[in-house]
Amino acid sequence: MKYAKLRDFLDLMAREHTPGCTVTVYHNNTKEFEYSAGVSSLETGKKMQGDEYFNIYSCSKIMTVTAAAQLLETGKYLLNDPLGEYIPEYNNMKVRQPDGTLADAKRKITVGDLFSMTAGLDYNMNSNAFQRAREITDGRMDTDVVARLIADEPLSFEPGAHWQYSLCHDVLAAFVGIVSGMKFRDYVKANILDPLDMRETVYHATPEILDRMAEQYTFVPTGQGEVIDIVEAQQFGRATDGGFRNVGKSVPHIPGPEYDSGGAGITTTVGDYAKFLAALANGGLGLTGERILSPYTVELMKTNRLGEVQLRDFNWDALMGYGYGLGVRTHIDKARSGSNANLGEFGWGGAAGATAIIDTEAKLALFFAQHTLNPREQWYQPRLRNIVYSCIN
């Protein structure tokens, strides 16, 4: 069997690392493999079927940057444009200094900084900006309002100076809405989901979707503290030994019904989201025959944008040998990564274990999901990449 090693790896994951997991692989524009292992509920023992919904957290970012890149193709903006031209609140930013004082930013945040996480924003959703947004919107947390209020918070560093995982892609979602004149969720549906016939991908889960969703857990290592925060969960793994605790099906980074989170908002099935990844692997041409991006834009998306200093910031264990493009990791150094993936392989992961692997040269798209916060990415992601590349020819 061509994908026997991948099948065996999912079985191993379900035995030793997560309650259950599922994968879909497209190769040369054809769905070549799908498989599920383990259970979708530890409480009931229900087997993972493959049609479950998952919160994919930061794998949502790939769709956000694709939506924004579509508008780049229409000439709505340039990557080097100051963000303040479109959201004036970002025109006069302050930077927090090492001694805690604030100083005027020496350069403006560009739209490209949002894509590449170099704007100086952080991932603090308990800031004064979010508290004010709750009051102003009566808890609805409109994406545009929140993004404008985030501009009141001081930056962590001068724009462009460093890489820092942050709310950049939530602000980018607001930017898409402003530039397109549509709600972000509506823009994505009209320009990506509908053209690719993706009927099971949403930004706000309904009760019916929650009924079909795999139970969501967090892994609690023996003798260590529990990790639920989705940013920390995505960055750091923990020890192998431990257990799972059900944490419910909500996403804490969706703070209100009108907040379309560009960074963590999508709920979907593995088979449905794999259609989107397959389109990117095919240079932007979907399985439906509809084009969502030019192949030249996909090439730009996977081009590393980080310099030497920023690459030192981009130091997560699972991403050795990778740079960062327009919102995606991109493979730039096989010797450092130890990976058999093609240079230019790109994608991202999510806090509960969703993982995207996209390769335009091999025309390979893989989407893997589990539903476990603190998923130990540094263990399974490099192995998953090596295994799938050993299966294709």
Side-chain angles (χ1 to χ4, degrees), residues 72 90 228 233 242 260 276 284 332 353 357 365 369:
L72 179 70
Y90 287 88
I228 295 180
D260 297 341
F276 166 57
I332 60 174
I357 296 172

Side-chain angles (χ1 to χ4, degrees), residues 32 45 57 96 107 130 213 225 234 358:
E32 288 196 341
Y57 292 91
R96 190 177 300 282
R107 91 149 169 84
F130 278 84
M213 184 179 287
Q234 192 167 344
I358 309 160

Side-chain angles (χ1 to χ4, degrees), residues 164-177:
Q164 179 168 278
Y165 206 48
S166 69
L167 289 163
C168 277
H169 291 171
D170 285 48
V171 177
L172 189 62
F175 172 81
V176 168

Side-chain angles (χ1 to χ4, degrees), residues 197-267:
D197 193 30
M198 296 175 63
R199 303 180 184 183
E200 297 182 319
T201 299
V202 301
Y203 280 90
H204 297 275
T206 63
E208 293 76 17
I209 287 172
L210 291 173
D211 285 343
R212 278 183 53 190
M213 184 179 287
E215 295 294 331
Q216 184 173 231
Y217 300 92
T218 187
F219 178 73
V220 184
T222 302
Q224 298 186 36
E226 182 174 306
V227 177
I228 295 180
D229 179 81
I230 70 170
V231 178
E232 187 175 354
Q234 192 167 344
Q235 292 184 57
F236 302 108
R238 292 295 185 269
T240 300
D241 295 330
F244 300 99
R245 185 173 81 80
N246 195 313
V247 293
K249 296 178 178 181
S250 65
V251 177
H253 279 51
I254 304 176
E258 293 301 317
Y259 191 77
D260 297 341
S261 171
I266 288 179
T267 298

Side-chain angles (χ1 to χ4, degrees), residues 2-10 23-27 32-34 322 329 339-342 345-346 355-359 362-368 380-393:
K2 182 176 180 179
Y3 289 94
K5 285 180 279 189
L6 183 55
R7 176 202 61 200
D8 293 346
F9 183 69
L10 263 69
V23 71
T24 295
V25 179
Y26 280 89
H27 185 218
E32 288 196 341
F33 184 68
E34 52 188 358
Y322 280 77
R329 70 163 193 276
S339 174
N340 59 6
N342 282 326
E345 176 268 319
F346 67 103
T355 299
I357 296 172
I358 309 160
D359 186 333
K363 289 194 174 181
L364 169 68
L366 175 148
F367 192 50
F368 166 93
Y380 80 87
Q381 278 197 2
R383 288 170 168 81
L384 185 63
R385 289 194 291 266
N386 284 341
I387 289 168
V388 72
Y389 274 89
S390 75
C391 294
I392 64 174
N393 51 45

Side-chain angles (χ1 to χ4, degrees), residues 34-178:
E34 52 188 358
Y35 185 72
S36 300
V39 298
S40 62
S41 169
L42 287 171
E43 290 76 16
T44 67
K46 183 180 179 181
K47 297 291 185 183
M48 189 74 77
Q49 302 295 316
D51 62 350
E52 295 85 357
Y53 277 91
F54 295 87
N55 297 318
I56 66 169
Y57 292 91
S58 287
C59 269
S60 306
K61 290 176 166 70
I62 307 173
M63 188 162 286
T64 300
V65 297
T66 297
Q70 289 180 329
L71 296 169
L72 179 70
E73 291 187 339
T74 66
K76 295 289 187 182
Y77 68 93
L78 297 174
L79 290 174
N80 293 329
D81 285 347
L83 177 61
E85 290 185 5
Y86 306 91
I87 311 179
E89 288 81 355
Y90 287 88
N91 268 325
N92 299 295
M93 299 299 293
K94 299 289 186 180
V95 179
R96 190 177 300 282
Q97 304 300 300
D99 63 0
T101 61
L102 302 182
D104 292 336
K106 295 176 183 176
R107 91 149 169 84
K108 295 183 181 297
I109 296 171
T110 67
V111 179
D113 288 327
L114 291 183
F115 278 92
S116 58
M117 296 282 186
T118 55
L121 304 183
D122 60 28
Y123 230 130
N124 181 10
M125 298 188 75
N126 295 311
S127 67
N128 291 333
F130 278 84
Q131 298 300 330
R132 288 181 58 208
R134 288 185 184 92
E135 297 169 2
I136 292 171
T137 66
D138 293 325
R140 297 189 311 277
M141 301 300 282
D142 177 86
T143 311
D144 181 81
V145 172
V146 176
R148 293 177 189 275
L149 289 172
I150 288 172
D152 291 338
E153 300 294 324
L155 301 177
S156 299
F157 48 80
E158 288 288 340
H162 293 280
W163 184 91
Q164 179 168 278
Y165 206 48
S166 69
L167 289 163
C168 277
H169 291 171
D170 285 48
V171 177
L172 189 62
F175 172 81
V176 168
I178 291 166

